[in-house]
Every structure is written in structure tokens, then in C-alpha cells.
Amino acid sequence: MHPQYQEAQKEILARAGESVIHPTLDRMRAAMDLLGHPQTNYRVIHVTGTNGKTSTARMIDALLRERQLRVGRYTSPHLRSMRERIVIDGEPVSEQAFADLYADVLPYVRMVDERSDVPMSFFEVLTVMAYAAFADAPVDVAVVEVGMGGAWDATNVVEADVAVVTPVAVDHTEYLPDTVEGIAAEKAGIIKPGSVAVLAQQTLPAAQALLRRASEVGAQVAREGLEFGVVHRDLAVGGQQVAVKGLRAGYDGIFLPLFGVHQASNAAVAVAAVEAFAAPTEGEEGLDPELVRAALATATSPGRLEIVRTSPTVLVDAAHNPAGMAATAEAVREAFSFDRLVGVVAVLADKDAEGILEPLEPLLDEIVVTANSSPRALPPEQLHRVAEDVFGDDRVHLAARLDDAIEAAVTLAERDTEFGGAGVLVTGSVVTAGDATHLMKKE
């Protein structure tokens, strides 16, 4: 690892983490003032929601680059490397570029720290770095994923042309309201006057909150299931065939190399977002169908039902809340036919462990509970007790370390199965997915 990158990463990690929130944009606005407002130098597509944000942002990025635009993408959290969060032209910034970027913004960050009661956080510093990097590149458009919420999220110092809201569910209730409607109202803060709000399928309370905000600020609205959506989908080897009704045109014959109806919906949202970005007024033509097919055929979503090993098949998934896990379970059920499937689950202590486990109960034959590398990981012994309540004593196993848990799960999955019939699903947290990916790819 490059020593300057290592030092930059160490200093950023020493700041208040992503789970420590001071809900104000004052520090970000101060930093942007000092830097000369880099976030105004390019157009923006802003993405919020509870689940599917990163997958959707990646698809939007791919579609824009297929249009020969220079694209910056800012997403979170990362699976393995902090550099994954700041992407230009489809590639994470290099270790040297990351270190140089940190050195460039650090004097301004320190000035904000000196003027504030609370120093800038881990996430705020990375957001400043991303906005500066995109201005310096320069990019034509930035695809920016919200960290948490919307209105007071550090990313929300931009005036986005298009605001995307993926499905809203209950999560992060220690910082956000504890109802879907309340969370949607918070996330609606990224919808700005004169923008286009592209809304994934929502529950009625969430839809009402989002539409209320759009009406208040005079934003146009495009809703999945009404103005756009998935028309048809079929299973295919390595993914699915999808037809999408867009805002301007229909697009069929799309091969999407990702699993699950939720990923098809994410693709429809991405297409609608790019249509709205490219042609925000009525009557404009749609996108080139060949462009849409080419971009989505290359779509990747690391850590989202990613196959990291075969014989037996080991799937890694970053689902970390009940709604996300329900989507994962449905996708596994649809796309795979295992004789035996064993889960490896590690969750963070501030998550709804029971709600995460419940969608897995009908899917898994057995489960191995463990811990991931986060200091916020729920101790395996506590997760074991919750899992016993959901699965019963005889289906639950305990391993203190993730590598031992995966090894135990492989052994359990291969017991009494024919060749190719065994599967392991490693899930419960983005950290779990990142740890597992790293372990499996070292083999």
C-alpha cells in the first residue's frame, strides 16, 4: 500500500465515523465556500433511498458513460477500499491520487474544524474530497449517493438536476424517524426546485411524503409503475432478460447480469433517471436502445448476490436490514436451485437482527452466526440467541471468526448433497460482504 495513501486513510478513519451523526450542513457549506464551490462545476444526479442506492448509482454511471460523458461517482460504504467511493471514468481513484486529493483539501478541512464546535466527520471529509476531485477532473456529471437520510446528509450541498429515490424502508432509526413516512420526508430533502424526482416503487406513506415535497418545490415527478417501469423479465443464465418502459421510449432485449426483481427495478429507475437528465422536457426522444443494452449488459454490483466461489457456490450479499434481506431471499429463491443452502450471518449491533434473520428462515437449511471486522459488530453469542429464536436450536451453529464460519458452512452445505447442489450465502452487513469477498478472493 502506498505510504501516503495509508497515512491519509489513517487520518480520515481517526475522525468521527459514519455512525456518529451531527445533523447540520454548516460544516459542509463552510468547506465548499473555502474551496470555491467545486460542486457547482458539473451537473448532478443525486441518489437516496434505503435499499438499492449503490446498484442504481452504478447503473446510472454506466448509462452516462455509454453516452460518452465523463462521469464521477460517489458511493458508500465501501466493501474493501476507501478508494471505491470516489470513481472517475468507471475506475476508483488511485492510491496516489487519493493521497494527493486529501493533501489538497486538508488545509481547508482544518480551517472548518477550527471554526466549528464539532470537527468534520469521516464522511464529510470524503464528500469534500469527492466534490473537489470531480471538479478537478473535470467531470461532465456526478452521480452522488446519499450517505444517510437526505436533507442534512453531507452530500446535500448540491443542486441536482435529477433526484432519485430508491425504495424507502425503516433503517438507521437511531438517527432517522422510526416510520417509513418520516424517513421518506427526510430523504425527500434532496428534491430541489426545478429538478426531476425519479421515484422507485414506494409504499403509500413513503410515496405521499415524497410527492408532497415535489409539489412544494415544483419538481417534476416520474414514478415507477406509472410513468416508467419493468414491463417484462425472464430468468437467464447469469442474470435476467428485461424489458423496460422508460419515460420517453421502450427498451427491450436488455440482458442484466444481476439477480432479482429488485435489480430489474433498479435498472428501470436508472434508465428513467438518465432519460430525465438527458431530456428533462416532455416530447424529447428516448435514449438509443443499443446504448441502454450495451451499458446494462456490463452492469456490476459487487457484494450484491455476488458469486465469489463455485463448488460449492458461495454467494456474498450486503443486505443489512429486513427489507433488503427479504429482496435477497426472494432473488436467491428465484435464481438458484440448491439442494442445501447454509447461511453465514454477521450483523452490526445497531441493526434489527431478528428482522434481518426472519426472511432467511424459510430459505436456509442451517445457519452459522459469527462476527465481522467492524468494532460495531454484534457479538456472535448474542446473535446466536436471536437466531435460535428464529431457526430453532438444531439449525444454528456458532463460529467466532468469519473464516471459520465460512469453512463450517461449506462443510454443512456439502453434506448429503449431489455435486453442484450445495450453496453458502454470506450476508448481514456491508462489512460482512466486504470481509468475505476479501477472504474468498485471497484463496
Side-chain angles (χ1 to χ4, degrees):
M1 189 183 291
H2 192 288
Q4 288 173 300
Y5 169 65
Q6 198 166 14
E7 184 60 28
Q9 188 174 236
K10 180 181 172 185
E11 288 185 19
I12 294 168
L13 285 168
R15 291 177 174 269
E18 287 162 294
S19 61
V20 181
I21 305 296
H22 297 279
T24 174
L25 287 173
D26 292 349
R27 291 178 299 277
M28 281 299 301
R29 289 187 179 122
M32 294 296 99
D33 287 347
L34 290 168
L35 283 161
H37 304 283
Q39 82 282 15
T40 64
N41 290 343
Y42 36 81
R43 296 174 67 191
V44 175
I45 298 177
H46 209 172
V47 184
T48 192
T50 303
N51 292 306
K53 295 189 297 295
T54 301
S55 295
T56 303
R58 293 176 70 95
M59 291 186 218
I60 292 170
D61 181 354
L63 286 160
L64 292 169
R65 282 188 288 117
E66 199 68 33
R67 291 174 59 83
Q68 306 305 309
L69 293 171
R70 191 162 202 211
V71 185
R73 184 177 79 232
Y74 181 55
T75 56
S76 61
H78 58 270
L79 281 177
R80 291 303 310 166
S81 167
M82 210 179 277
R83 298 183 299 107
E84 295 167 26
R85 297 173 182 241
I86 304 175
V87 172
I88 298 173
D89 294 332
E91 294 294 330
V93 294
S94 68
E95 291 188 356
Q96 182 65 63
F98 187 100
D100 291 345
L101 189 57
Y102 178 67
D104 288 345
V105 305
L106 185 57
Y108 304 99
V109 168
R110 284 177 173 159
M111 288 172 71
V112 176
D113 287 346
E114 288 166 6
R115 299 175 186 178
S116 306
D117 293 335
V118 177
M120 295 193 79
S121 69
F122 169 98
F123 187 70
E124 286 172 327
V125 171
L126 284 170
T127 305
V128 169
M129 288 170 62
Y131 287 163
F134 297 157
D136 189 53
V139 302
D140 300 308
V141 53
V143 183
V144 176
E145 177 186 338
V146 161
M148 188 187 298
W152 47 255
D153 184 73
T155 63
N156 202 29
V157 290
V158 293
E159 297 290 324
D161 298 64
V162 178
V164 175
V165 187
T166 65
V168 174
V170 174
D171 198 7
H172 298 297
T173 53
E174 66 275 34
Y175 302 107
L176 299 176
D178 59 2
T179 66
V180 167
E181 183 177 14
I183 290 172
E186 177 62 40
K187 292 181 184 295
I190 73 163
I191 302 172
K192 303 295 172 61
S195 67
V196 181
V198 176
L199 310 180
Q201 195 85 49
Q202 304 289 346
T203 61
L204 184 59
Q208 288 172 334
L210 294 166
L211 292 171
R212 192 179 307 121
R213 166 71 179 184
S215 175
E216 287 169 358
V217 302
Q220 296 180 58
V221 174
R223 297 158 293 180
E224 184 184 4
L226 294 171
E227 286 79 18
F228 72 92
V230 177
V231 176
H232 183 74
R233 54 186 292 272
D234 284 314
L235 291 180
V237 176
Q240 52 192 308
Q241 288 288 137
V242 180
V244 170
K245 172 197 171 191
L247 301 177
R248 313 277 177 248
Y251 309 93
D252 58 12
I254 298 168
F255 173 66
L256 185 66
L258 302 170
F259 303 107
V261 65
H262 61 294
Q263 293 288 19
S265 290
N266 291 340
V269 170
V271 168
V274 174
E275 283 181 313
F277 174 84
T281 57
E282 293 295 334
E284 299 276 0
E285 290 186 3
L287 306 174
D288 178 350
E290 284 303 318
L291 174 156
V292 172
R293 293 185 195 108
L296 293 180
T298 63
T300 58
S301 194
R304 276 74 182 176
L305 277 185
E306 183 180 3
I307 300 173
V308 295
R309 175 176 159 178
T310 56
S311 300
T313 300
V314 177
L315 301 168
V316 169
D317 192 83
H320 56 275
N321 57 49
M325 193 61 78
T328 291
E330 184 55 38
V332 172
R333 196 175 287 113
E334 176 188 79
F336 298 91
S337 52
F338 296 114
D339 297 330
R340 278 176 61 79
L341 180 62
V342 177
V344 173
V345 179
V347 304
L348 299 185
D350 55 355
K351 297 295 183 179
D352 177 3
E354 185 175 0
I356 289 168
L357 291 174
E358 281 174 346
L360 293 172
E361 191 279 327
L363 180 72
L364 302 178
D365 292 281
E366 299 184 69
I367 182 171
V368 184
V369 298
T370 187
N372 58 40
S373 62
S374 171
R376 294 161 49 214
L378 184 68
E381 298 77 15
Q382 290 184 38
L383 185 56
H384 187 270
R385 288 194 289 273
V386 178
E388 284 185 324
D389 289 341
V390 175
F391 286 84
D393 299 0
D394 56 339
R395 294 166 63 196
V396 183
H397 308 270
L398 176 67
R401 292 162 37 125
L402 182 61
D403 54 353
D404 293 336
I406 294 172
E407 187 177 335
V410 166
T411 301
L412 288 166
E414 290 182 324
R415 191 176 65 198
D416 303 325
T417 56
E418 298 292 328
F419 179 77
V424 171
L425 172 63
V426 187
T427 188
S429 165
V430 176
V431 180
T432 305
D435 291 348
T437 302
H438 181 65
L439 284 169
M440 302 306 287
K441 290 185 176 177
K442 279 202 312 187
E443 289 186 355

